[in-house]
Amino acid sequence: MIDRPFTWTTANLPDQTGRTHLVTGASSGLGLETALRLLNAGATVIAAVRNPDKTRATFADHRHIDNLDIRRLDLADLDSVRTFAADLGRDLTHLDVLVANAGLWTRTRKLSTEGVELTLATNHLGHYALTGHLLPLLSQGTDPRVVTVTSNLYRRGKLGPSLEDPAMATNWTQNSSYATSKTANLLFALELDRRLRTHRSPVRSIAVHPGMAATPIHGNAPLIQRCASSVAALLFSRPAEIGALPLIYGATSPDIRTDRLLGFGLLARDQRLRHEPILSPADDQDLAARLWQTSEEITGVRIPLAANTVD
């Protein structure tokens, strides 16, 4: 059963003074809205983006600009992830929150340097590697958490075949690759939570979804789908400042659950949050363990949280 819906707005956002949040994809859409709200609440925000110059222009007039640290990160490039994390480790003593938000939705099938389909490489593997590199910093934070942004499209993902064929050389479509990446996001968030709890880590892993939100990523949808989406948006789409609420709540609320998916109901007029149960295929713990192992093998990043053991 879906948990009782509840109303929450940024007016309820706890004071974030003294806390450091890292937001990937903070140059536009949900990431931008999340970064802005966190800055307004007093946080120090690290904006991890592919285009720092563009992001600096976006934030140029923000009144809390002194609390913003803009750094380049390309999640599809594991060397970029490694360099970014190493630089951060030299500059910081702790990190309180990682908001794994950045997302890609390509119109054509492309591959990363490692030969992985680019949407899956960016949306999941880049965040997997980043989380692994940053976990020591997060472990030194106060009420530390990893907030992973998935989508309610996760139910349409076909992750099993993609673990056998990460390049998605057969049966690739734009929509299926994106849905599969979102399945991977949710499976990883849940598996990370299980392993963190097994190790009695102070870090919490939280999964959120924004529903259908008006963000630039939808501009990459196929033409027919964009036309259909423009009609569907009247019923289902929320503006980015509303769509970002699950991300912000997940990053800041003391009442967040790690065994559910935080998001919205279907209709745009319903702006209440809710903790939803995990449905297939994201409830498959064996699939989650296979994803973890495959991610480790491809990225070379071993997150020191073995399953079913306690430090």
Side-chain angles (χ1 to χ4, degrees), residues 167-231:
M168 295 187 188
T170 60
N171 300 319
W172 179 92
T173 69
Q174 182 178 358
N175 287 337
S176 66
S177 67
Y178 182 75
T180 295
S181 76
K182 295 290 104 178
T183 306
N185 286 151
L186 182 51
L187 279 163
F188 171 61
L190 295 168
E191 181 69 9
L192 179 62
D193 173 60
R194 285 188 287 269
R195 297 188 183 216
L196 289 168
R197 286 189 287 111
T198 296
H199 277 249
R200 299 172 186 161
S201 170
V203 182
R204 289 189 284 175
S205 175
I206 297 153
V208 304
H209 82 83
M212 184 177 181
T215 68
I217 196 170
H218 291 290
N220 282 330
L223 178 59
I224 294 177
Q225 186 172 330
R226 291 203 304 274
C227 294
S229 295
S230 65
V231 176

Side-chain angles (χ1 to χ4, degrees), residues 18-82:
R19 291 178 63 73
T20 300
H21 297 249
L22 167 59
V23 182
T24 67
S27 61
S28 64
L30 301 176
L32 174 60
E33 290 296 332
T34 299
L36 288 171
R37 302 303 177 185
L38 292 172
L39 284 170
N40 289 341
T44 295
V45 174
I46 301 168
V49 297
R50 284 187 294 176
N51 190 332
D53 290 339
K54 173 187 172 183
T55 306
R56 290 188 188 97
T58 300
F59 283 93
D61 297 328
H62 196 278
R63 59 195 178 97
H64 296 297
I65 192 68
D66 290 344
N67 288 345
L68 179 65
D69 182 1
I70 300 171
R71 300 190 181 215
R72 185 182 183 279
L73 172 64
D74 182 353
L75 288 162
D77 181 348
L78 293 176
D79 287 337
S80 174
V81 175
R82 188 179 302 108

Side-chain angles (χ1 to χ4, degrees), residues 46 104 117 138 142 146 149 184 198-199 203 225 229 242 278-280 300:
I46 301 168
L104 185 69
E117 192 277 329
L138 285 161
T142 301
V146 178
V149 181
T198 296
H199 277 249
V203 182
Q225 186 172 330
S229 295
I242 300 299
I278 307 301
L279 303 177
S280 177

